Amino acid sequence: MEIYILSIFPGMFESVFGETIIKRAQEKGLVRIEVVDIRDFTHDRHRMTDDYPYGGGAGMVMKPEPIYEAMDYVKSKSPDVHTILLTPAGEVFKQEKAKELSKRESIAIICGRYEGFDERVRVLADEEISLGRFVLSGGEIAAMAIVDATVRLIPGVLGNKESLKEESFENGLIEYPQYTRPRVFRGMAVPDILLSGNHKKIKEWREQEAKKRTIKWMGEEDG
Ligand code: SAM
């Protein structure tokens, strides 16, 4: 899979993509991530990517030209790239979307800054995604979250296939409670059932607990 991220702060991605699972996925050749600096596609001395809004108002707006040229560059390398625009108002990102994206060959994620994009940038997008109903200072943190959730679903990225099968949102359920040693920690004991060695009963208990959590945390909006 190829992932292109368009940003004016490419340095922000170095540590997140240079560690642990995403790093290993790149080393194994399962994903190639290219962070494209939108400023490289400006033509003025100050490498401006923003300008004042027509009609007045607070803040600056991201200019369309450098973003279009950065996307021309991405498309020259990957003509069928699926393009995502990050906005607070887009479709809220969920596990289903991560699964869908993990099956694509090539995606581009455009990160906004300032007061957002010139409206004509929307034309570039196949879809608009939001990390949630809050406003971030820029799309970079949202892009990191989307890439992380997506890359770990690419076959071969996680060592243990079972860990994906039992994870939250698989089969519409939130994962059951987990415990490790010590058996009693600050007066809180591991439930006896998990120490019983009775695998059938443990499985039933986990299913029940997963259902309880799902009812508690997943409202109608989550499906
Ligand atoms: N003025 C915009 C508004 O009211 O909708 C907010 C712009 S925000 C400060 C700058 C950029 O951060 C946005 O263009 C978008 O790319 C990104 N961003 C902010 N919140 C986001 C969210 N919840 N999900 C995804 N991207 C977000």
Side-chain angles (χ1 to χ4, degrees):
M1 181 181 191
E2 294 198 325
I3 301 178
Y4 297 90
I5 297 172
L6 283 67
S7 163
I8 57 169
F9 293 113
M12 285 181 72
F13 295 91
E14 278 165 24
S15 65
V16 173
F17 293 166
E19 307 266 357
T20 73
I21 290 172
I22 300 187
K23 181 183 181 202
R24 286 203 303 275
Q26 292 173 94
E27 285 170 354
K28 283 191 203 167
L30 296 168
V31 64
R32 194 181 79 79
I33 303 177
E34 182 173 340
V35 183
V36 178
D37 187 347
I38 297 171
R39 277 193 207 286
D40 288 346
F41 298 88
T42 54
H43 301 289
D44 62 303
R45 205 153 50 96
H46 301 291
R47 308 180 81 207
M48 296 294 286
T49 55
D50 58 312
D51 207 337
Y52 293 97
Y54 273 116
M60 303 295 272
V61 173
M62 289 193 83
K63 288 153 67 70
E65 304 97 310
I67 299 178
Y68 267 75
E69 286 192 31
M71 276 309 299
D72 287 344
Y73 162 75
V74 169
K75 284 183 178 160
S76 72
K77 299 182 90 178
S78 182
D80 297 325
V81 68
H82 179 80
T83 304
I84 295 163
L85 193 68
L86 294 174
T87 63
E91 180 185 340
V92 175
F93 186 68
K94 295 202 179 132
Q95 188 69 8
E96 278 308 311
K97 181 58 72 180
K99 275 190 206 165
E100 189 190 311
L101 295 178
S102 72
K103 292 179 188 134
R104 291 193 177 271
E105 275 179 20
S106 171
I107 62 171
I109 305 177
I110 307 177
C111 304
R113 278 273 155 181
Y114 313 111
E115 287 309 314
F117 308 100
D118 179 293
E119 192 62 18
R120 290 161 291 190
V121 173
R122 288 216 148 84
V123 174
L124 292 169
D126 293 303
E127 60 180 333
E128 294 185 29
I129 294 183
S130 165
L131 199 59
R133 296 293 180 238
F134 45 82
V135 179
L136 294 162
S137 313
E140 287 76 11
I141 290 172
M144 289 172 200
I146 290 167
V147 169
D148 185 277
T150 299
V151 167
R152 63 199 298 284
L153 298 178
I154 298 172
V157 167
L158 290 189
N160 182 0
K161 269 195 212 153
E162 295 304 308
S163 66
L164 276 182
K165 221 166 65 185
E166 302 221 321
E167 229 171 26
S168 292
F169 314 117
E170 284 300 318
N171 311 319
L173 291 176
I174 291 178
E175 195 182 48
Y176 50 76
Q178 300 269 27
Y179 292 87
T180 184
R181 286 186 290 186
R183 193 174 155 184
V184 180
F185 173 69
R186 297 198 176 188
M188 295 174 279
V190 174
D192 287 339
I193 186 85
L194 296 177
L195 310 168
S196 67
N198 184 334
H199 294 295
K200 185 167 172 279
K201 285 260 184 290
I202 291 173
K203 190 166 177 278
E204 282 168 11
W205 180 84
R206 284 179 166 166
E207 277 169 13
Q208 269 172 21
E209 292 299 312
K211 277 182 197 154
K212 274 194 224 163
R213 287 199 167 177
T214 308
I215 290 166
K216 179 168 180 192
W217 293 114
M218 289 182 69
E220 273 172 31
E221 198 204 329
D222 297 303

